[in-house]
Amino acid sequence: MEIRQLYEAGVSISELARRFGYDRKTIRNALNSSVEEKQGERASRGERKRGSKLEPYKDYVKQRMQLGVLNAERILREIREQGYTGGITVLREFMKPLRPVVSAKATERYESDPGEQAQIDLGAFPYYDSHGQRRTI
């Protein structure tokens, strides 16, 4: 990569940004990503991978979903009884890809020739006539 070679040769990030027409942060990100690719892992920037509060309950949630329980509120209640302290959003995000795909049922269209069929709306429509009497159609 040309940017990497120039940077290693001593060209500053600001100068690279001017030469290539990108922002300094973009150049810095490109340099960092090429370092990460060489190392085969992410560079440590104080980040640590945290385990999910849901992790111990994932097998239970999968079992319940296989039994047909797809309601996140109900499963949340059940795992809270077992000691889960997390929120429902994490649970819903976990359940979303596991849910079965539901396709809408197709309705066959019914066509009739003009004059063969009619529709009416049944209902009461009150109004006041010219004498002030209330009437209903």
Side-chain angles (χ1 to χ4, degrees):
M1 173 180 240
E2 187 178 348
I3 294 174
R4 162 82 27 218
Q5 292 168 352
L6 290 171
Y7 182 71
E8 288 174 356
V11 179
S12 70
I13 291 177
S14 296
E15 179 59 30
L16 289 171
R18 275 196 250 17
R19 286 185 189 180
F20 290 99
Y22 291 108
D23 187 70
R24 287 177 293 118
K25 290 177 270 185
T26 305
I27 298 295
R28 190 175 297 116
N29 286 339
L31 292 171
N32 288 337
S33 68
S34 63
V35 168
E36 291 167 5
E37 289 172 5
K38 286 182 182 178
Q39 293 175 352
E41 58 186 49
R42 296 190 67 183
S44 175
R45 290 179 246 160
E47 297 175 4
R48 65 183 179 113
K49 184 168 172 109
R50 294 169 47 180
S52 170
K53 290 181 180 181
L54 186 62
E55 197 65 40
Y57 306 97
K58 286 184 177 180
D59 290 334
Y60 178 78
V61 172
K62 287 178 185 176
Q63 288 174 355
R64 294 297 287 154
M65 289 182 74
Q66 287 174 351
L67 293 174
V69 180
L70 302 176
N71 187 326
E73 294 281 345
R74 181 172 178 181
I75 293 178
L76 178 67
R77 247 189 337 265
E78 293 173 4
I79 62 177
R80 282 241 168 105
E81 290 172 359
Q82 298 174 15
Y84 176 67
T85 58
I88 193 164
T89 304
V90 174
L91 177 61
R92 284 186 176 144
E93 288 174 0
F94 174 72
M95 291 175 66
K96 188 174 185 176
L98 302 176
R99 289 181 188 273
V101 178
V102 179
S103 60
K105 295 179 182 176
T107 304
E108 188 174 338
R109 187 175 172 99
Y110 177 75
E111 295 284 339
S112 61
D113 291 332
E116 285 188 20
Q117 194 175 15
Q119 285 184 327
I120 57 170
D121 293 328
L122 299 175
F125 300 99
Y127 72 98
Y128 291 97
D129 66 7
S130 58
H131 302 295
Q133 297 280 331
R134 183 182 168 146
R135 298 189 179 253
T136 304
I137 296 179

